[in-house]
């Protein structure tokens, strides 16, 4: 059906289809961290991230967040709308971890007074730096768009926090990407998975996300499978 590789990313292959407004995202088992300096791969990662992203996009759509998701085509492939991506990554945090703990001198695990929204420039060569709205204005992202991105990040947070809470998982933080469709609507895009979220078991604090890979904690395959099981009720 006229599949053509448009882009080979770190976690996915993005393919064009016969329809210029529709893409396929094929999720890979490979993982990278620290700007690509660390590499690895494990069985079931592509399936988990694709299946979990599909479930999250469906749930968010039901709760009023417009997304690029069309359907899950097979174990590792999602069909989505093709968007003009914004060069920005929106991070929302509920608990201090990773770079925020370092930036503010907080111990990891310190709850934040209220959700913290951060904007990063999506640019591998620059190492995805933290930027502010003046930088983004300079790069041509207007204030209205930025405000809408922050609002979408907070809405996703308000929607997913209780979803994971009910499944015994604390949503510590997450990253989203946003794009514009041909009509100019801003839609949630890319993926929502243990690669892009920090998930901590509510009881034990056990890490159920990519930090297991970043920090060589072991059990990464099992952790991803456990998150998928809690989200979809399957293994
Ligand atoms: N709906 C969409 N339309 C166009 N591009 C998208 C869409 N959703 C995600 N993308 C882009 O596709 C790529 C997905 O592949 P990924 O492996 O995550 O890449 P990267 O290594 O750049 O993070 C990303 O560059 C992401 O911004
Ligand atoms: Mg990516």
């Amino acid at each position: 059906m006229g599949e053509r590789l448009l882009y080979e990313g770190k976690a996915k292959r993005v393919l064009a289809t016969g329809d210029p407004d529709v893409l396929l995202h094929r999720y890979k088992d490979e993982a990278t961290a620290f700007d690509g300096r660390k590499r690895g791969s494990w069985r079931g990662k592509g399936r988990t991230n694709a299946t979990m992203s599909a479930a999250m996009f469906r749930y968010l759509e039901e709760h009023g967040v417009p997304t690029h998701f069309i359907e899950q085509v097979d174990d590792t492939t999602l069909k989505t709308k093709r968007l003009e991506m914004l060069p920005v990554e929106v991070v929302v945090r509920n608990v201090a971890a990773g770079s925020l703990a370092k930036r503010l001198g907080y111990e990891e695990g310190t709850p934040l007074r209220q959700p913290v929204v951060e904007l990063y420039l999506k640019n591998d060569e620059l190492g995805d730096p933290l930027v502010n709205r003046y930088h983004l204005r300079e790069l041509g992202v207007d204030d209205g768009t930025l405000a809408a991105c922050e609002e979408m990040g907070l809405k996703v947070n308000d929607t997913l926090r209780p979803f994971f809470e009910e499944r015994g998982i604390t949503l510590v933080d997450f990253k989203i990407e946003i794009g514009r469709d041909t009509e100019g609507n801003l839609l949630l895009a890319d993926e929502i998975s243990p690669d892009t979220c920090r998930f901590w078991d509510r009881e034990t604090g056990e890490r159920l996300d990519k930090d297991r890979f970043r920090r060589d904690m072991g059990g990464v395959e099992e952790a991803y499978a456990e998150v998928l099981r809690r989200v979809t009720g399957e293994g």
Side-chain angles (χ1 to χ4, degrees):
M1 60 184 223
E3 286 179 20
R4 181 170 57 87
L5 183 66
L6 279 184
Y7 178 74
E8 169 110 36
K10 297 186 291 286
K12 308 188 272 303
R13 285 187 192 88
V14 180
L15 308 159
T17 65
D19 182 337
D21 295 329
V22 174
L23 295 176
L24 295 176
H25 299 242
R26 196 148 284 153
Y27 286 67
K28 308 195 277 191
D29 282 347
E30 281 80 47
T32 69
F34 309 118
D35 299 326
R37 280 176 279 123
K38 185 181 172 94
R39 287 167 186 281
S41 105
W42 57 92
R43 202 159 42 95
K45 174 176 185 283
R47 184 174 84 91
T48 293
N49 286 7
T51 306
M52 181 159 167
S53 290
M56 296 298 89
F57 287 135
R58 269 190 223 106
Y59 188 80
L60 287 164
E61 287 272 359
E62 282 166 21
H63 289 78
V65 179
T67 81
H68 70 161
F69 179 69
I70 300 173
E71 63 175 347
Q72 183 162 6
V73 176
D74 62 34
D75 270 4
T76 59
T77 313
L78 303 194
K79 186 182 279 186
T80 77
K81 292 170 190 162
R82 181 177 193 162
L83 305 178
E84 183 92 51
M85 297 301 289
L86 300 175
V88 51
E89 299 190 339
V90 181
V91 170
V92 182
R93 302 170 177 274
N94 299 304
V95 177
S99 68
L100 181 84
K102 215 168 148 192
R103 190 179 307 284
L104 299 185
Y106 282 17
E107 199 174 318
E108 273 207 319
T110 309
L112 302 172
R113 288 171 211 267
Q114 49 183 5
V116 168
V117 181
E118 296 174 335
L119 303 168
Y120 292 83
L121 186 63
K122 186 166 168 61
N123 184 317
D124 280 339
E125 262 163 57
L126 300 178
D128 297 341
L130 180 72
V131 289
N132 67 29
R133 53 182 69 233
Y134 292 86
H135 297 128
L136 289 167
R137 219 177 266 150
E138 169 61 32
L139 294 169
V141 186
D142 68 84
D143 290 4
T145 301
L146 270 187
C149 287
E150 291 178 350
E151 201 183 307
M152 189 183 289
L154 290 169
K155 175 82 194 268
V156 169
N157 190 46
D158 286 346
T159 309
L160 293 189
R161 246 176 124 173
F163 175 91
F164 285 107
E165 199 71 20
E166 282 167 21
R167 287 156 179 81
I169 291 171
T170 302
L171 179 61
V172 170
D173 55 42
F174 63 89
K175 178 272 292 182
I176 56 171
E177 296 182 26
I178 297 164
R180 209 183 279 288
D181 69 12
T182 45
E183 275 135 46
N185 305 304
L186 290 174
L187 307 184
L188 179 63
D190 205 47
E191 69 176 280
I192 297 185
S193 73
D195 273 18
T196 63
C197 304
R198 279 197 175 91
F199 296 128
W200 293 2
D201 184 274
R202 222 168 62 137
E203 309 283 88
T204 65
E206 194 188 356
R207 266 66 167 170
L208 298 171
D209 56 54
K210 195 173 163 187
D211 273 345
R212 300 203 78 85
F213 167 68
R214 290 190 192 96
R215 301 176 188 190
D216 293 321
M217 297 167 83
V220 62
E221 188 179 326
E222 293 76 8
Y224 275 55
E226 175 62 17
V227 173
L228 182 63
R229 194 187 63 73
R230 292 201 205 175
V231 166
T232 66
E234 59 141 339

mmCIF file of all heavy atoms in Angstrom, residues 63-100:
data_model
loop_
_atom_site.group_PDB
_atom_site.id
_atom_site.type_symbol
_atom_site.label_atom_id
_atom_site.label_comp_id
_atom_site.label_asym_id
_atom_site.label_seq_id
_atom_site.Cartn_x
_atom_site.Cartn_y
_atom_site.Cartn_z
ATOM 1 N N HIS A 63 -11.394 11.824 26.697
ATOM 2 C CA HIS A 63 -11.433 12.862 27.724
ATOM 3 C C HIS A 63 -11.133 14.242 27.163
ATOM 4 O O HIS A 63 -10.698 15.141 27.885
ATOM 5 C CB HIS A 63 -10.494 12.487 28.869
ATOM 6 C CG HIS A 63 -11.023 11.338 29.669
ATOM 7 N ND1 HIS A 63 -10.928 10.025 29.234
ATOM 8 C CD2 HIS A 63 -11.718 11.302 30.824
ATOM 9 C CE1 HIS A 63 -11.514 9.230 30.105
ATOM 10 N NE2 HIS A 63 -12.012 9.976 31.079
ATOM 11 N N GLY A 64 -11.335 14.412 25.858
ATOM 12 C CA GLY A 64 -11.311 15.754 25.275
ATOM 13 C C GLY A 64 -9.962 16.265 24.826
ATOM 14 O O GLY A 64 -9.825 17.458 24.548
ATOM 15 N N VAL A 65 -8.943 15.392 24.740
ATOM 16 C CA VAL A 65 -7.651 15.829 24.192
ATOM 17 C C VAL A 65 -7.541 15.312 22.753
ATOM 18 O O VAL A 65 -7.521 14.102 22.524
ATOM 19 C CB VAL A 65 -6.463 15.276 25.021
ATOM 20 C CG1 VAL A 65 -5.135 15.722 24.418
ATOM 21 C CG2 VAL A 65 -6.574 15.711 26.480
ATOM 22 N N PRO A 66 -7.469 16.202 21.761
ATOM 23 C CA PRO A 66 -7.356 15.752 20.375
ATOM 24 C C PRO A 66 -5.966 15.185 20.100
ATOM 25 O O PRO A 66 -4.958 15.779 20.492
ATOM 26 C CB PRO A 66 -7.597 17.026 19.556
ATOM 27 C CG PRO A 66 -7.237 18.148 20.468
ATOM 28 C CD PRO A 66 -7.470 17.678 21.876
ATOM 29 N N THR A 67 -5.901 14.017 19.445
ATOM 30 C CA THR A 67 -4.611 13.375 19.182
ATOM 31 C C THR A 67 -4.488 12.981 17.708
ATOM 32 O O THR A 67 -5.476 12.983 16.973
ATOM 33 C CB THR A 67 -4.422 12.093 20.022
ATOM 34 O OG1 THR A 67 -5.120 11.013 19.393
ATOM 35 C CG2 THR A 67 -4.932 12.262 21.447
ATOM 36 N N HIS A 68 -3.283 12.576 17.335
ATOM 37 C CA HIS A 68 -3.027 12.162 15.945
ATOM 38 C C HIS A 68 -3.458 10.716 15.678
ATOM 39 O O HIS A 68 -3.433 10.273 14.532
ATOM 40 C CB HIS A 68 -1.548 12.342 15.604
ATOM 41 C CG HIS A 68 -0.615 11.398 16.294
ATOM 42 N ND1 HIS A 68 0.660 11.158 15.855
ATOM 43 C CD2 HIS A 68 -0.763 10.637 17.411
ATOM 44 C CE1 HIS A 68 1.256 10.288 16.647
ATOM 45 N NE2 HIS A 68 0.423 9.951 17.599
ATOM 46 N N PHE A 69 -3.881 9.999 16.704
ATOM 47 C CA PHE A 69 -4.110 8.557 16.602
ATOM 48 C C PHE A 69 -5.296 8.211 15.697
ATOM 49 O O PHE A 69 -6.368 8.778 15.824
ATOM 50 C CB PHE A 69 -4.348 8.004 18.004
ATOM 51 C CG PHE A 69 -4.625 6.526 18.041
ATOM 52 C CD1 PHE A 69 -3.620 5.615 17.747
ATOM 53 C CD2 PHE A 69 -5.891 6.040 18.362
ATOM 54 C CE1 PHE A 69 -3.870 4.250 17.792
ATOM 55 C CE2 PHE A 69 -6.151 4.684 18.409
ATOM 56 C CZ PHE A 69 -5.135 3.784 18.112
ATOM 57 N N ILE A 70 -5.099 7.252 14.814
ATOM 58 C CA ILE A 70 -6.201 6.722 13.994
ATOM 59 C C ILE A 70 -6.531 5.299 14.423
ATOM 60 O O ILE A 70 -7.639 5.009 14.828
ATOM 61 C CB ILE A 70 -5.880 6.789 12.482
ATOM 62 C CG1 ILE A 70 -5.642 8.240 12.050
ATOM 63 C CG2 ILE A 70 -7.030 6.165 11.674
ATOM 64 C CD1 ILE A 70 -5.166 8.412 10.617
ATOM 65 N N GLU A 71 -5.547 4.388 14.335
ATOM 66 C CA GLU A 71 -5.788 3.007 14.782
ATOM 67 C C GLU A 71 -4.474 2.268 14.968
ATOM 68 O O GLU A 71 -3.443 2.666 14.426
ATOM 69 C CB GLU A 71 -6.667 2.250 13.773
ATOM 70 C CG GLU A 71 -6.009 2.097 12.416
ATOM 71 C CD GLU A 71 -6.833 1.243 11.454
ATOM 72 O OE1 GLU A 71 -7.776 0.569 11.900
ATOM 73 O OE2 GLU A 71 -6.505 1.246 10.255
ATOM 74 N N GLN A 72 -4.543 1.179 15.725
ATOM 75 C CA GLN A 72 -3.393 0.279 15.819
ATOM 76 C C GLN A 72 -3.529 -0.754 14.711
ATOM 77 O O GLN A 72 -4.542 -1.446 14.615
ATOM 78 C CB GLN A 72 -3.327 -0.401 17.194
ATOM 79 C CG GLN A 72 -2.093 -1.298 17.332
ATOM 80 C CD GLN A 72 -1.744 -1.655 18.765
ATOM 81 O OE1 GLN A 72 -2.477 -1.324 19.700
ATOM 82 N NE2 GLN A 72 -0.611 -2.324 18.942
ATOM 83 N N VAL A 73 -2.497 -0.852 13.875
ATOM 84 C CA VAL A 73 -2.548 -1.701 12.681
ATOM 85 C C VAL A 73 -2.080 -3.116 12.995
ATOM 86 O O VAL A 73 -2.648 -4.089 12.521
ATOM 87 C CB VAL A 73 -1.660 -1.093 11.563
ATOM 88 C CG1 VAL A 73 -1.613 -1.994 10.352
ATOM 89 C CG2 VAL A 73 -2.164 0.289 11.187
ATOM 90 N N ASP A 74 -1.013 -3.233 13.786
ATOM 91 C CA ASP A 74 -0.536 -4.532 14.251
ATOM 92 C C ASP A 74 0.211 -4.310 15.568
ATOM 93 O O ASP A 74 0.204 -3.198 16.092
ATOM 94 C CB ASP A 74 0.320 -5.245 13.188
ATOM 95 C CG ASP A 74 1.586 -4.468 12.841
ATOM 96 O OD1 ASP A 74 2.152 -3.815 13.731
ATOM 97 O OD2 ASP A 74 2.009 -4.513 11.672
ATOM 98 N N ASP A 75 0.843 -5.359 16.091
ATOM 99 C CA ASP A 75 1.500 -5.292 17.406
ATOM 100 C C ASP A 75 2.385 -4.065 17.610
ATOM 101 O O ASP A 75 2.453 -3.514 18.700
ATOM 102 C CB ASP A 75 2.381 -6.543 17.602
ATOM 103 C CG ASP A 75 1.602 -7.660 18.255
ATOM 104 O OD1 ASP A 75 0.393 -7.498 18.480
ATOM 105 O OD2 ASP A 75 2.225 -8.710 18.545
ATOM 106 N N THR A 76 3.107 -3.672 16.549
ATOM 107 C CA THR A 76 4.106 -2.609 16.718
ATOM 108 C C THR A 76 3.831 -1.373 15.866
ATOM 109 O O THR A 76 4.661 -0.478 15.801
ATOM 110 C CB THR A 76 5.522 -3.141 16.361
ATOM 111 O OG1 THR A 76 5.505 -3.609 15.011
ATOM 112 C CG2 THR A 76 5.954 -4.261 17.293
ATOM 113 N N THR A 77 2.673 -1.325 15.209
ATOM 114 C CA THR A 77 2.424 -0.241 14.250
ATOM 115 C C THR A 77 1.144 0.530 14.543
ATOM 116 O O THR A 77 0.070 -0.062 14.662
ATOM 117 C CB THR A 77 2.321 -0.804 12.810
ATOM 118 O OG1 THR A 77 3.407 -1.695 12.576
ATOM 119 C CG2 THR A 77 2.352 0.308 11.786
ATOM 120 N N LEU A 78 1.276 1.855 14.606
ATOM 121 C CA LEU A 78 0.095 2.726 14.734
ATOM 122 C C LEU A 78 -0.058 3.554 13.461
ATOM 123 O O LEU A 78 0.922 4.004 12.880
ATOM 124 C CB LEU A 78 0.237 3.696 15.912
ATOM 125 C CG LEU A 78 0.481 3.146 17.316
ATOM 126 C CD1 LEU A 78 0.237 4.250 18.337
ATOM 127 C CD2 LEU A 78 -0.358 1.927 17.614
ATOM 128 N N LYS A 79 -1.324 3.746 13.071
ATOM 129 C CA LYS A 79 -1.664 4.653 11.982
ATOM 130 C C LYS A 79 -2.054 5.981 12.617
ATOM 131 O O LYS A 79 -2.834 6.009 13.571
ATOM 132 C CB LYS A 79 -2.825 4.065 11.176
ATOM 133 C CG LYS A 79 -3.166 4.853 9.921
ATOM 134 C CD LYS A 79 -4.360 4.251 9.205
ATOM 135 C CE LYS A 79 -3.944 3.057 8.356
ATOM 136 N NZ LYS A 79 -5.114 2.577 7.542
ATOM 137 N N THR A 80 -1.482 7.087 12.107
ATOM 138 C CA THR A 80 -1.779 8.411 12.672
ATOM 139 C C THR A 80 -1.991 9.435 11.555
ATOM 140 O O THR A 80 -1.633 9.192 10.399
ATOM 141 C CB THR A 80 -0.618 8.957 13.540
ATOM 142 O OG1 THR A 80 0.421 9.450 12.681
ATOM 143 C CG2 THR A 80 -0.058 7.897 14.481
ATOM 144 N N LYS A 81 -2.556 10.562 11.941
ATOM 145 C CA LYS A 81 -2.579 11.704 11.035
ATOM 146 C C LYS A 81 -1.161 12.237 10.896
ATOM 147 O O LYS A 81 -0.381 12.181 11.844
ATOM 148 C CB LYS A 81 -3.482 12.798 11.600
ATOM 149 C CG LYS A 81 -4.941 12.395 11.619
ATOM 150 C CD LYS A 81 -5.779 13.383 12.399
ATOM 151 C CE LYS A 81 -7.164 12.790 12.592
ATOM 152 N NZ LYS A 81 -7.901 13.453 13.679
ATOM 153 N N ARG A 82 -0.861 12.739 9.708
ATOM 154 C CA ARG A 82 0.445 13.363 9.496
ATOM 155 C C ARG A 82 0.356 14.836 9.891
ATOM 156 O O ARG A 82 -0.504 15.556 9.403
ATOM 157 C CB ARG A 82 0.838 13.248 8.028
ATOM 158 C CG ARG A 82 2.188 13.857 7.739
ATOM 159 C CD ARG A 82 2.576 13.673 6.291
ATOM 160 N NE ARG A 82 3.971 13.988 6.091
ATOM 161 C CZ ARG A 82 4.671 13.609 5.034
ATOM 162 N NH1 ARG A 82 4.098 12.912 4.082
ATOM 163 N NH2 ARG A 82 5.930 13.936 4.920
ATOM 164 N N LEU A 83 1.252 15.247 10.756
ATOM 165 C CA LEU A 83 1.215 16.618 11.262
ATOM 166 C C LEU A 83 2.501 17.365 10.939
ATOM 167 O O LEU A 83 3.539 16.761 10.692
ATOM 168 C CB LEU A 83 1.041 16.605 12.791
ATOM 169 C CG LEU A 83 -0.150 15.826 13.339
ATOM 170 C CD1 LEU A 83 -0.142 15.885 14.865
ATOM 171 C CD2 LEU A 83 -1.467 16.359 12.800
ATOM 172 N N GLU A 84 2.380 18.677 11.010
ATOM 173 C CA GLU A 84 3.549 19.568 10.990
ATOM 174 C C GLU A 84 3.973 19.694 12.444
ATOM 175 O O GLU A 84 3.287 20.344 13.239
ATOM 176 C CB GLU A 84 3.092 20.915 10.436
ATOM 177 C CG GLU A 84 4.162 21.944 10.259
ATOM 178 C CD GLU A 84 4.752 21.879 8.859
ATOM 179 O OE1 GLU A 84 3.974 21.888 7.879
ATOM 180 O OE2 GLU A 84 5.988 21.818 8.778
ATOM 181 N N MET A 85 5.093 19.054 12.797
ATOM 182 C CA MET A 85 5.465 19.009 14.215
ATOM 183 C C MET A 85 6.031 20.351 14.692
ATOM 184 O O MET A 85 6.774 21.021 13.966
ATOM 185 C CB MET A 85 6.505 17.909 14.452
ATOM 186 C CG MET A 85 5.992 16.501 14.155
ATOM 187 S SD MET A 85 4.545 16.044 15.142
ATOM 188 C CE MET A 85 5.314 15.864 16.754
ATOM 189 N N LEU A 86 5.704 20.738 15.908
ATOM 190 C CA LEU A 86 6.334 21.896 16.540
ATOM 191 C C LEU A 86 7.710 21.457 17.038
ATOM 192 O O LEU A 86 7.874 20.314 17.463
ATOM 193 C CB LEU A 86 5.495 22.375 17.729
ATOM 194 C CG LEU A 86 4.066 22.808 17.406
ATOM 195 C CD1 LEU A 86 3.317 23.142 18.698
ATOM 196 C CD2 LEU A 86 4.060 24.008 16.472
ATOM 197 N N PRO A 87 8.689 22.355 17.024
ATOM 198 C CA PRO A 87 10.059 21.953 17.412
ATOM 199 C C PRO A 87 10.234 21.957 18.936
ATOM 200 O O PRO A 87 11.293 22.311 19.443
ATOM 201 C CB PRO A 87 10.920 23.044 16.761
ATOM 202 C CG PRO A 87 10.048 24.255 16.798
ATOM 203 C CD PRO A 87 8.635 23.770 16.603
ATOM 204 N N VAL A 88 9.172 21.585 19.642
ATOM 205 C CA VAL A 88 9.216 21.730 21.090
ATOM 206 C C VAL A 88 8.729 20.455 21.773
ATOM 207 O O VAL A 88 7.851 19.744 21.256
ATOM 208 C CB VAL A 88 8.399 22.980 21.517
ATOM 209 C CG1 VAL A 88 7.034 22.973 20.930
ATOM 210 C CG2 VAL A 88 8.298 23.118 23.020
ATOM 211 N N GLU A 89 9.357 20.122 22.882
ATOM 212 C CA GLU A 89 8.918 19.019 23.732
ATOM 213 C C GLU A 89 8.385 19.631 25.019
ATOM 214 O O GLU A 89 9.063 20.452 25.638
ATOM 215 C CB GLU A 89 10.084 18.083 24.059
ATOM 216 C CG GLU A 89 10.704 17.451 22.827
ATOM 217 C CD GLU A 89 11.709 16.343 23.132
ATOM 218 O OE1 GLU A 89 12.243 16.306 24.262
ATOM 219 O OE2 GLU A 89 11.938 15.527 22.240
ATOM 220 N N VAL A 90 7.177 19.260 25.385
ATOM 221 C CA VAL A 90 6.571 19.778 26.610
ATOM 222 C C VAL A 90 6.693 18.706 27.692
ATOM 223 O O VAL A 90 6.245 17.579 27.498
ATOM 224 C CB VAL A 90 5.079 20.119 26.383
ATOM 225 C CG1 VAL A 90 4.454 20.674 27.661
ATOM 226 C CG2 VAL A 90 4.928 21.118 25.236
ATOM 227 N N VAL A 91 7.336 19.069 28.792
ATOM 228 C CA VAL A 91 7.499 18.138 29.915
ATOM 229 C C VAL A 91 6.642 18.642 31.077
ATOM 230 O O VAL A 91 6.633 19.838 31.372
ATOM 231 C CB VAL A 91 8.983 18.036 30.333
ATOM 232 C CG1 VAL A 91 9.145 17.280 31.648
ATOM 233 C CG2 VAL A 91 9.792 17.365 29.224
ATOM 234 N N VAL A 92 5.892 17.738 31.687
ATOM 235 C CA VAL A 92 5.098 18.079 32.872
ATOM 236 C C VAL A 92 5.542 17.163 34.004
ATOM 237 O O VAL A 92 5.701 15.958 33.807
ATOM 238 C CB VAL A 92 3.585 17.923 32.611
ATOM 239 C CG1 VAL A 92 2.778 18.337 33.848
ATOM 240 C CG2 VAL A 92 3.157 18.768 31.418
ATOM 241 N N ARG A 93 5.747 17.751 35.178
ATOM 242 C CA ARG A 93 6.285 16.996 36.318
ATOM 243 C C ARG A 93 5.417 17.168 37.558
ATOM 244 O O ARG A 93 4.966 18.282 37.850
ATOM 245 C CB ARG A 93 7.687 17.504 36.649
ATOM 246 C CG ARG A 93 8.685 17.418 35.493
ATOM 247 C CD ARG A 93 9.946 18.163 35.883
ATOM 248 N NE ARG A 93 11.011 18.092 34.891
ATOM 249 C CZ ARG A 93 11.896 17.102 34.810
ATOM 250 N NH1 ARG A 93 11.836 16.085 35.631
ATOM 251 N NH2 ARG A 93 12.847 17.145 33.893
ATOM 252 N N ASN A 94 5.227 16.054 38.265
ATOM 253 C CA ASN A 94 4.486 16.068 39.526
ATOM 254 C C ASN A 94 5.380 15.800 40.732
ATOM 255 O O ASN A 94 5.054 16.179 41.854
ATOM 256 C CB ASN A 94 3.380 15.004 39.481
ATOM 257 C CG ASN A 94 2.396 15.275 38.349
ATOM 258 O OD1 ASN A 94 1.819 16.357 38.271
ATOM 259 N ND2 ASN A 94 2.240 14.306 37.454
ATOM 260 N N VAL A 95 6.473 15.098 40.481
ATOM 261 C CA VAL A 95 7.414 14.690 41.531
ATOM 262 C C VAL A 95 8.818 14.969 40.999
ATOM 263 O O VAL A 95 9.078 14.743 39.810
ATOM 264 C CB VAL A 95 7.258 13.175 41.835
ATOM 265 C CG1 VAL A 95 8.272 12.702 42.860
ATOM 266 C CG2 VAL A 95 5.836 12.849 42.293
ATOM 267 N N ALA A 96 9.713 15.443 41.854
ATOM 268 C CA ALA A 96 11.071 15.745 41.395
ATOM 269 C C ALA A 96 11.812 14.465 41.026
ATOM 270 O O ALA A 96 11.821 13.504 41.796
ATOM 271 C CB ALA A 96 11.841 16.492 42.482
ATOM 272 N N ALA A 97 12.414 14.457 39.839
ATOM 273 C CA ALA A 97 13.239 13.336 39.402
ATOM 274 C C ALA A 97 14.163 13.854 38.299
ATOM 275 O O ALA A 97 13.951 14.949 37.768
ATOM 276 C CB ALA A 97 12.370 12.191 38.857
ATOM 277 N N GLY A 98 15.187 13.062 37.979
ATOM 278 C CA GLY A 98 16.062 13.377 36.850
ATOM 279 C C GLY A 98 16.609 14.794 36.895
ATOM 280 O O GLY A 98 17.073 15.257 37.941
ATOM 281 N N SER A 99 16.524 15.490 35.756
ATOM 282 C CA SER A 99 17.170 16.800 35.633
ATOM 283 C C SER A 99 16.522 17.863 36.525
ATOM 284 O O SER A 99 17.186 18.821 36.916
ATOM 285 C CB SER A 99 17.155 17.265 34.175
ATOM 286 O OG SER A 99 15.840 17.541 33.747
ATOM 287 N N LEU A 100 15.248 17.711 36.853
ATOM 288 C CA LEU A 100 14.619 18.720 37.733
ATOM 289 C C LEU A 100 15.174 18.602 39.151
ATOM 290 O O LEU A 100 15.445 19.623 39.803
ATOM 291 C CB LEU A 100 13.096 18.586 37.778
ATOM 292 C CG LEU A 100 12.485 19.666 38.680
ATOM 293 C CD1 LEU A 100 12.282 20.973 37.923
ATOM 294 C CD2 LEU A 100 11.205 19.235 39.331
#
